[in-house]
Amino acid sequence: KQEVTQIPAALSVPEGENLVLNCSFTDSAIYNLQWFRQDPGKGLTSLLLIQSSQREQTSGRLNASLDKSSGRSTLYIAASQPGDSATYLCAVRQLGKLTFGQGTILTVHP
Amino acid sequence: NAGVTQTPKFRILKIGQSMTLQCTQDMNHNYMYWYRQDPGMGLKLIYYSVGAGITDKGEVPNGYNVSRSTTEDFPLRLELAAPSQTSVYFCASTRGQGGPNEQFFGPGTRLTVL
């Protein structure tokens, strides 16, 4: 059974800092890995999707990497802003299903 | 495109009542999913469908039923509601199973069972 773990569970940083969120998974036979953002009381917004054959994807200040063989992904956020405060979820795709981690709660204070 | 829409946004049920959560997508996606999210937790898969007329159980199907009569709609039925079903329910869809296909999520239905 696939298990996805996200570390840390919570992170608080001052504005402007670069930060890394970690995601690990136990079964490397995945189709892709997706990073989502969830604001309090809201739905999920897709940030980045990395296919199993890819090593990284970038969108603006976000960069996600994937090391499928070791079962790890990182989400790098550059020059963090208070508007980045949210819960970040990673999810891996197998046989049409997504398995989610429990998320990292990020707080960026001015 | 409206994407994935869900109704209602909020609902309070009494123990033993039943209800249907509605989900519609206008992207002509084959795959649709229902997840639940408990406080401080990730999402858990309840049921999914790979096309009209085809459904299958996910990780936590007990107490729920689904149907998929059209490509667009994937309603989730709660029979005999229990307090353990208090949660936020998300519907999602994706075009295909392969690598580049993102899952798109609806805004969620917040359900409380008292």
Side-chain angles (χ1 to χ4, degrees):
Chain A
K1 177 186 172 185
Q2 179 74 268
E3 293 183 0
V4 180
T5 303
Q6 291 188 244
I7 295 174
L11 182 63
S12 181
V13 299
E15 181 177 5
E17 236 181 59
N18 302 325
L19 56 98
V20 174
L21 307 181
N22 297 291
C23 173
S24 63
F25 48 96
T26 55
D27 185 349
S28 61
I30 63 172
Y31 285 117
N32 60 43
L33 183 146
Q34 231 174 313
W35 282 94
F36 294 90
R37 169 185 173 138
Q38 186 176 29
D39 294 296
K42 302 293 186 181
L44 279 70
T45 301
S46 179
L47 297 173
L48 290 165
L49 179 146
I50 312 177
Q51 297 181 55
S52 62
S53 58
Q54 297 175 327
R55 297 284 293 182
E56 66 178 332
Q57 284 286 329
T58 299
S59 176
R61 294 182 293 108
L62 305 179
N63 176 276
S65 67
L66 174 64
D67 184 344
K68 197 175 75 159
S69 62
S70 67
R72 294 179 183 177
S73 176
T74 61
L75 179 67
Y76 175 83
I77 302 177
S80 58
Q81 304 171 357
D84 295 330
S85 298
T87 297
Y88 290 80
L89 295 157
C90 74
V92 295
R93 183 111 184 251
Q94 292 178 295
L95 297 174
K97 305 180 214 180
L98 283 182
T99 302
F100 282 83
Q102 292 187 335
T104 294
I105 302 172
L106 173 65
T107 303
V108 181
H109 48 90
Chain B
N1 285 350
V4 181
T5 58
Q6 292 182 238
T7 58
K9 291 184 178 180
F10 303 94
R11 184 72 185 268
I12 298 174
L13 284 181
K14 294 182 179 179
I15 295 172
Q17 287 185 321
S18 300
M19 76 165 293
T20 299
L21 282 66
Q22 302 292 343
C23 175
T24 300
Q25 53 90 11
D26 62 358
M27 298 173 281
N28 200 32
H29 284 173
N30 292 318
Y31 292 73
M32 295 187 74
Y33 306 82
W34 275 105
Y35 296 91
R36 60 177 286 172
Q37 185 179 34
D38 298 323
M41 305 292 287
L43 279 69
K44 293 186 178 180
L45 182 64
I46 305 171
Y47 270 95
Y48 68 103
S49 169
V50 301
I54 306 170
T55 63
D56 205 349
K57 296 178 180 179
E59 187 180 357
V60 289
N62 292 344
Y64 307 94
N65 276 299
V66 293
S67 60
R68 184 95 181 270
S69 57
T70 67
T71 300
E72 295 77 19
D73 300 307
F74 190 41
L76 177 71
R77 178 80 177 164
L78 278 72
E79 304 282 1
L80 299 175
S84 61
Q85 293 178 304
T86 294
S87 190
V88 181
Y89 292 84
F90 290 101
C91 179
S93 73
T94 186
R95 181 173 303 281
Q97 190 163 265
N101 292 294
E102 290 183 53
Q103 281 207 0
F104 294 88
F105 282 77
T109 294
R110 190 174 298 272
L111 176 67
T112 302
V113 182
L114 301 174

